[in-house]
Amino acid sequence: MNRFCFLLVTNFPKISEVCVYFAANMKNNIYMTMKKNLWYAVLAVCALSACGSKKSERQPMSGNPVFPGWYADPEGIVYDQTYWIYPTYSDVYEKQTHFDCFSSKDLVNWEKHESILDTVAVKWAKQAMWAPSVIRKDNKYYLFFGANDVHEGEVGGIGVAVSDRPKGPYRDLIGKPLINEIVNGAQPIDQYVFHDEDGTYYMYYGGWGHCNMVRLNDDFTGIVLFADGSLYKEVTPENYTESPFMFKRDGKYYFMWSEGGWGGPDYSVAYAIADSPFGPFQRINKVLQQDSEIATSAGHHSVIHAPGSDNYYIVYHRRPLGDDGRDHRVTCIDKMTFDKDGFIEPIRITNEGVAAETIAAIKK
């Protein structure tokens, strides 16, 4: 028995105390019982060691929020082998005069790129620079944005800037708003540019409970007529508030939007599925909302699809528990999954975020 303990201690130092105990207290009449108990102790230690080993091998997680600071309305995108997030700087309107962006190779470690576009570069923009939407075309990087919280008769609305690099700096492309007017009751904010497989670029936008879609021209300097001769089409779904988003999966168009008040507990994300980019978009369900144990007001999102995989991530903002600051919003990422019929499953918001995932590893 003592030799057995010596071998165990030599090979498994963590159980030395167990062996010392049994060696000191062993009596002939309880030898068999203690031998059996020793084996139980060895198995328990091995199990604990295995659990510790598995824990140490776990992938690093992004954590939520994914980067520090007050940021909202995040748009996520993949350029080559890098993930990018372009958010709104969350503050009072008068201080919302610039955009920062963030890049990552693995969804966990994020690098900040400061002031990629500001009101110095956009002469007509004075404040309330909101909700970037980004896309690459012909080796140029375009950033669409809202500015000035425009109302009827004012200058502002949706602008577009361009750069040679995703991290900027960006410059104003046309020197004026791309869309200034209030059409179909939709405030020109919260634009999303969608590139369809036939090469067409559509832009969905709108606040105040109305959503329009337009078709962009080839160089993004204007909008062009649809086949039926219209310039704007209203595509507002049920319960729509703002922040439309579109992606395509397995031949279906997934249209998403935010519901509720942007500062309230009912702020959330719902979606529809259609066979056409024009809809109709019949509301299916709410898929993202607050969790009273995690965070409040979860909404204004975008979706990142990791190339070469069926991995989808929802990028959104939310408010920390117990913090009632109007502009205290943070950017988070969680996994988005689908059931066997292609419907989006309810998304659980987390503090852990998502596991590290490099695009290079997916493509191998």
Side-chain angles (χ1 to χ4, degrees):
M1 180 70 174
N2 288 337
R3 182 184 177 193
F4 177 65
C5 283
F6 173 78
L7 291 173
L8 286 173
V9 171
T10 302
N11 291 281
F12 305 97
K14 290 183 179 180
I15 65 171
S16 59
E17 293 182 7
V18 176
C19 290
V20 169
Y21 171 83
F22 283 114
N25 293 278
M26 185 171 59
K27 301 294 183 181
N28 289 337
N29 62 336
I30 60 171
Y31 176 81
M32 294 306 295
T33 299
M34 293 189 67
K35 184 175 180 181
K36 182 170 69 173
N37 289 341
L38 178 60
W39 275 111
Y40 289 156
V42 170
L43 290 173
V45 171
C46 290
L48 289 171
S49 298
C51 290
S53 175
K54 287 181 180 178
K55 184 176 181 180
S56 64
E57 294 173 358
R58 287 178 59 187
Q59 285 185 292
M61 304 292 287
S62 67
N64 277 326
V66 290
F67 40 73
W70 302 123
Y71 291 97
D73 315 333
E75 172 140 332
I77 196 169
V78 173
Y79 289 138
D80 301 319
Q81 295 184 351
T82 304
Y83 301 97
W84 293 83
I85 294 178
Y86 297 79
T88 297
Y89 174 64
S90 190
D91 207 329
V92 296
Y93 293 0
E94 294 79 8
K95 293 183 179 180
Q96 292 180 307
T97 57
H98 75 284
F99 292 113
D100 301 326
C101 73
F102 299 81
S103 63
S104 175
K105 294 293 186 181
D106 59 6
L107 293 174
V108 171
N109 301 289
W110 292 88
E111 179 183 357
K112 181 179 180 178
H113 309 279
E114 294 189 24
S115 198
I116 62 170
L117 179 67
D118 58 28
T119 53
V120 175
V122 185
K123 303 302 181 185
W124 57 268
K126 306 302 180 185
Q127 62 175 359
M129 297 185 80
W130 295 342
S133 179
V134 294
I135 197 163
R136 178 169 58 186
K137 184 178 189 290
D138 300 331
N139 295 317
K140 295 286 186 180
Y141 297 86
Y142 295 88
L143 189 155
F144 294 77
F145 60 94
N148 297 349
D149 183 29
V150 69
H151 290 65
E152 194 71 51
E154 299 175 347
V155 175
I158 297 172
V160 56
V162 64
S163 177
D164 294 323
R165 304 182 300 172
K167 66 179 181 179
Y170 287 79
R171 60 178 177 82
D172 191 357
L173 181 63
I174 59 176
K176 61 181 180 180
L178 180 68
I179 297 178
N180 193 157
E181 300 79 16
I182 312 296
V183 179
N184 298 325
Q187 186 185 31
I189 61 169
D190 291 1
Q191 62 295 316
Y192 176 68
V193 177
F194 173 68
H195 183 204
D196 207 353
E197 293 172 350
D198 66 358
T200 305
Y201 290 84
Y202 299 108
M203 185 168 70
Y204 300 85
Y205 77 89
W208 298 345
H210 293 273
C211 183
N212 290 333
M213 68 179 294
V214 295
R215 180 182 173 188
L216 296 169
N217 66 8
D218 288 340
D219 59 7
F220 296 162
T221 59
I223 59 177
V224 296
L225 297 174
F226 291 107
D228 64 2
S230 63
L231 199 56
Y232 297 85
K233 290 184 180 296
E234 183 168 6
V235 291
T236 308
E238 177 187 0
N239 291 352
Y240 175 91
T241 297
E242 60 188 12
S243 61
F245 187 87
M246 172 77 82
F247 69 94
K248 197 171 183 180
R249 180 180 183 267
D250 294 340
K252 298 291 187 179
Y253 294 86
Y254 288 73
F255 187 65
M256 308 179 77
W257 63 90
S258 289
E259 301 182 340
W262 69 274
D266 59 343
Y267 202 53
S268 52
V269 173
Y271 81 107
I273 301 175
D275 295 319
S276 162
F278 302 99
F281 301 117
Q282 299 296 323
R283 184 182 187 277
I284 294 174
N285 201 2
K286 185 179 293 188
V287 291
L288 181 78
Q289 58 188 317
Q290 71 175 23
D291 183 326
S292 60
E293 296 183 356
I294 302 292
T296 63
S297 299
H300 201 129
H301 79 298
S302 59
V303 174
I304 292 178
H305 175 212
S309 76
D310 197 36
N311 296 336
Y312 287 79
Y313 301 94
I314 189 164
V315 189
Y316 63 99
H317 77 239
R318 68 193 195 195
R319 298 173 183 272
L321 288 178
D323 190 335
D324 59 0
R326 191 199 73 156
D327 301 302
H328 288 184
R329 298 173 291 176
V330 294
T331 292
C332 302
I333 304 179
D334 279 302
K335 198 75 179 287
M336 189 172 81
T337 57
F338 304 81
D339 68 17
K340 61 181 179 61
D341 297 314
F343 294 107
I344 302 174
E345 297 180 312
I347 297 160
R348 185 175 68 90
I349 68 173
T350 70
N351 289 322
E352 297 78 19
V354 298
E357 180 172 59
T358 63
I359 297 169
I362 294 172
K363 289 187 173 181
K364 286 182 179 179

